[in-house]
């Protein structure tokens, strides 16, 4: 019990395990025992730890027997009075964080007050000013960080050393699927299936960052809802002085970039397949045409030499002319000289050549196409020729219409035949069997900013529509 003389705290919640104030002072716990006197509180006992928590000018005034109202500024007295009064009325009172304004100098304290009836209260105080200041500065820093990072397209996640997320900008929450602050990075990572594309076990190098390393960026994949995302993850340790207090993760969405890279890789592979196909066709044309012709010429010359008969010069000339024509036809199909005058001129020359050889009945309709960049004209010609060849090989029809026209800022070429057509299932089966002509033609046109459409109407026939930007 507290009598009329100053006492020390012997027991009760305010004095753990009966420890005296001096023992509590050793761990930085302040003790203030005050007694209610009319409308004021009189100090019964105050230890050194409590005095040390006050600004220097107010320590000397707070002595045993002093009035709180006289010793401390009014805002501080009002705050302490409220806690002591509540404790005296309710038996005890707690304040997790009390703000004390000593004429502009702010202190933060954690309080627990226990009443000792009829009129005394023991106040146990722990000064947390430094920690509170750090929290305030962190809060201000978070506001500043949000202002800087919320407009970024990259996701930014900050976590402490326990991998608890303490900040995430809007882009990070959009990428990772919802609110993140307060969640565990490990739990978030597991929930979305966060994994590295290089096949290593670590989902991302947060562990290395927390160990003090500056790891290289890694590409990661994860799934949120029905969206599969690929990001480049950069991780850096967060340091305070020489201590690592957490890690920062920056996520750059490269899903489209990776998709385009894979498409470019696929297109390159298909282009190589096209070139290989062209080489094979040229080799076959040379072997079955030109080489046979010159072999025939060799036989003629050899037979004449063996029999010592004069050469049939007319037959020799005819054989040479046939070989030259075969070579010219091959070079014309690779890159016709008529392309120097535009796609329309080259297509007209090709159609006339096929007509003359009785290969296919083709009617050209529409107006002459405007000139394009040379590579675009070559591409349009090659794809149109491929469509005409398909009509020749597979259509088994009697007539083909080749329509060419300009529509706004595009050129359009339509190849329509009256053959039996092809169903989507038949086209897929052809592609599965390695016949990639339609697929490769479409990819080449789309890579140039154009389009390739194949249609087989119910009544029969096939229609190929090619479009390409003029510039």
């Amino acid at each position: 019990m507290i009598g009329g003389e100053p006492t020390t705290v012997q027991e009760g919640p305010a004095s753990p395990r009966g420890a005296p104030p001096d023992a509590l002072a050793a761990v930085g716990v302040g003790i203030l025992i005050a007694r209610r006197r009319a409308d004021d509180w009189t100090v019964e006992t105050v230890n050194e730890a409590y005095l040390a928590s006050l600004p220097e000018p107010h320590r000397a005034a707070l002595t045993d027997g002093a009035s709180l109202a006289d010793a401390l500024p009014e805002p501080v007295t009002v705050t302490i009075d409220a806690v002591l009064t509540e404790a005296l009325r309710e038996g005890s009172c707690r304040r997790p964080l009390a703000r004390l304004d000593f004429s502009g100098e702010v202190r933060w304290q954690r309080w627990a007050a226990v009443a000792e009836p009829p009129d005394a209260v023991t106040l146990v105080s722990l000064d947390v000013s430094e920690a509170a200041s750090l929290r305030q500065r962190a809060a201000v820093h978070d506001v500043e960080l949000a202002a800087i990072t919320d407009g970024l397209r990259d996701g930014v996640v900050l976590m402490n050393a326990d991998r608890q997320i303490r900040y995430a900008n809007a882009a990070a929450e959009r990428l990772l699927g919802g609110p993140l602050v307060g969640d565990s990075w490990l739990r978030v990572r597991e929930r979305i299936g966060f994994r590295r594309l290089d096949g290593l076990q670590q989902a991302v190098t947060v562990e290395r960052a927390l160990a003090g390393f500056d790891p290289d960026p890694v590409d990661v994949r994860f799934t949120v809802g029905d969206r599969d995302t690929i990001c480049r993850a950069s991780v850096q340790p967060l340091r305070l002085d020489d201590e690592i207090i957490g890690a920062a993760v920056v996520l750059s969405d490269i899903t489209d970039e990776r998709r385009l890279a894979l498409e470019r890789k696929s297109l390159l592979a298909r282009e190589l397949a096209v070139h290989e196909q062209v080489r094979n066709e040229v080799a076959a044309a040379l072997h079955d045409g030109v080489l046979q012709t010159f072999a025939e010429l060799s036989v003629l010359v050899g037979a004449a030499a063996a029999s010592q008969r004069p050469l049939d010069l007319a037959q020799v000339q005819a054989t040479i002319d046939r070989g030259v024509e075969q070579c010219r036809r091959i070079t014309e199909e690779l890159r016709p000289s008529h392309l120097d005058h535009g796609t329309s001129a080259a297509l007209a020359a090709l159609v006339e050549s096929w007509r003359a050889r009785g290969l296919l009945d083709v009617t050209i309709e529409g107006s002459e196409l405007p000139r394009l960049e040379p590579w675009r004209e070559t591409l349009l010609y090659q794809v149109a020729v491929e469509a005409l060849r398909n009509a020749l090989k597979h259509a088994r029809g009697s007539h083909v219409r080749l329509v060419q026209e300009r529509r706004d800022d595009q050129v359009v070429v339509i190849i329509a035949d009256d053959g039996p057509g092809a169903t989507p299932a038949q086209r897929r089966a052809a592609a599965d069997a390695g016949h990639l002509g339609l697929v490769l033609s479409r990819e080449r046109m789309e890579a140039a900013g154009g389009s390739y459409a194949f249609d087989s109407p119910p009544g029969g026939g096939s229609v190929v529509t090619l479009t390409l930007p003029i510039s």
Side-chain angles (χ1 to χ4, degrees):
M1 288 291 294
I2 299 177
E5 300 297 325
T7 64
T8 59
V9 177
Q10 298 296 326
E11 59 184 0
S15 181
R17 301 185 182 178
D22 289 343
L24 292 174
V27 291
V29 176
I31 299 292
L32 170 69
I33 301 175
R35 188 179 297 277
R36 189 74 176 181
R37 300 294 188 196
D39 295 330
D40 193 10
W41 292 88
T42 301
V43 177
E44 293 282 330
T45 297
V46 59
N47 72 348
E48 290 297 327
Y50 189 85
L51 292 174
S53 70
L54 305 179
E56 182 68 35
H58 302 282
R59 295 175 187 174
L62 196 66
T63 59
D64 294 353
S67 163
L68 284 180
D70 294 337
L72 300 174
E74 182 179 1
V76 176
T77 304
V78 169
T79 303
I80 296 178
D81 175 75
V83 172
L84 298 179
T85 301
E86 182 179 341
L88 192 60
R89 182 179 66 249
E90 303 293 338
S92 65
C93 176
R94 291 180 181 274
R95 289 288 186 275
L97 195 62
R99 182 179 185 275
L100 304 178
D101 188 350
F102 290 88
S103 303
E105 184 174 349
V106 176
R107 295 298 176 92
W108 297 85
Q109 296 182 358
R110 230 171 238 172
W111 288 342
V114 178
E116 295 197 22
D119 56 3
V121 175
T122 298
L123 179 69
V124 179
S125 171
L126 180 64
D127 187 80
V128 291
S129 298
E130 184 175 354
S133 176
L134 288 174
R135 273 198 301 274
Q136 282 188 309
R137 285 187 300 185
V140 172
H141 178 263
D142 285 351
V143 171
E144 293 173 345
L145 188 63
I148 295 171
T149 63
D150 271 355
L152 296 179
R153 294 179 59 187
D154 292 345
V156 178
V157 178
L158 304 183
M159 66 192 75
N160 62 20
D162 294 327
R163 300 170 183 80
Q164 295 296 313
I165 298 173
R166 57 173 293 265
Y167 173 79
N169 70 347
E173 295 193 335
R174 183 173 61 254
L175 284 170
L176 301 179
L180 300 173
V181 175
D183 206 345
S184 163
W185 172 253
L186 299 178
R187 187 162 51 245
V188 170
R189 196 175 69 182
E190 181 179 355
R191 183 172 64 241
I192 62 178
F194 210 81
R195 57 202 181 278
R196 290 172 56 143
L197 292 185
D198 58 14
L200 298 180
Q201 291 301 312
Q202 307 99 305
V204 70
T205 48
V206 167
E207 289 76 10
R208 286 180 55 80
L210 292 175
F213 297 97
D214 292 328
D216 294 329
V218 295
D219 291 347
V220 297
R221 182 191 297 270
F222 53 89
T223 304
V224 176
D226 58 355
R227 173 176 168 77
D228 195 34
T229 302
I230 299 174
C231 282
R232 181 151 296 146
S234 303
V235 188
Q236 296 295 324
L238 296 177
R239 292 181 171 90
L240 181 62
D241 297 328
D242 294 330
E243 181 184 359
I244 297 175
I245 61 172
V249 179
V250 178
L251 300 170
S252 303
D253 189 349
I254 58 170
T255 306
D256 292 340
E257 178 185 328
R258 290 278 298 199
R259 177 180 56 79
L260 290 174
L262 291 174
E263 289 179 356
R264 285 194 296 268
K265 185 177 180 180
S266 174
L267 182 60
L268 177 60
R270 299 292 178 85
E271 284 287 344
L272 292 174
V274 169
H275 292 316
E276 184 63 27
Q277 179 181 346
V278 170
R279 283 194 294 269
N280 291 338
E281 290 177 354
V282 170
L286 290 172
H287 179 272
D288 298 338
V290 178
L291 290 180
Q292 297 299 324
T293 299
F294 283 102
E296 181 183 340
L297 181 61
S298 176
V299 169
L300 287 175
V301 174
S307 62
Q308 296 184 347
R309 293 196 308 269
L311 279 173
D312 185 344
L313 295 180
Q315 187 177 8
V316 170
Q317 185 65 51
T319 304
I320 292 174
D321 290 345
R322 188 167 70 253
V324 171
E325 174 61 22
Q326 289 169 337
C327 289
R328 186 194 63 77
R329 193 177 303 145
I330 292 172
T331 58
E332 283 293 305
E333 290 189 1
L334 289 175
R335 205 284 176 184
S337 58
H338 290 287
L339 266 178
D340 294 337
H341 306 288
T343 306
S344 293
L347 288 174
L350 176 70
V351 167
E352 185 59 35
S353 170
W354 284 15
R355 279 184 189 149
R357 293 154 59 194
L359 296 178
L360 194 63
D361 179 19
V362 183
T363 300
I364 297 180
E365 303 174 12
S367 57
E368 184 173 332
L369 297 176
R371 296 303 305 269
L372 308 175
E373 295 173 88
W375 70 270
R376 289 179 183 273
E377 291 185 329
T378 301
L379 171 63
L380 185 59
Y381 175 81
Q382 290 175 344
V383 175
V385 169
E386 177 68 20
L388 288 168
R389 281 178 179 164
N390 287 335
L392 176 64
K393 292 178 184 178
H394 309 298
R396 300 188 300 277
S398 59
H399 184 69
V400 174
R401 294 171 56 243
L402 192 154
V403 182
Q404 50 188 15
E405 60 188 24
R406 173 175 181 166
R407 295 179 186 171
D408 298 327
D409 59 349
Q410 292 185 321
V411 295
V412 180
V413 174
I414 301 172
I415 298 101
D417 65 64
D418 58 358
T423 65
Q426 290 172 326
R427 296 199 297 272
R428 285 194 298 271
D432 292 341
H435 304 295
L436 300 175
L438 295 180
V439 175
L440 295 175
S441 294
R442 177 179 293 109
E443 289 183 350
R444 295 180 72 195
M445 292 296 290
E446 290 177 351
S451 66
Y452 180 106
F454 181 94
D455 187 31
S456 188
S462 299
V463 180
V464 175
T465 303
L466 312 176
T467 67
L468 203 60
I470 292 176
S471 61

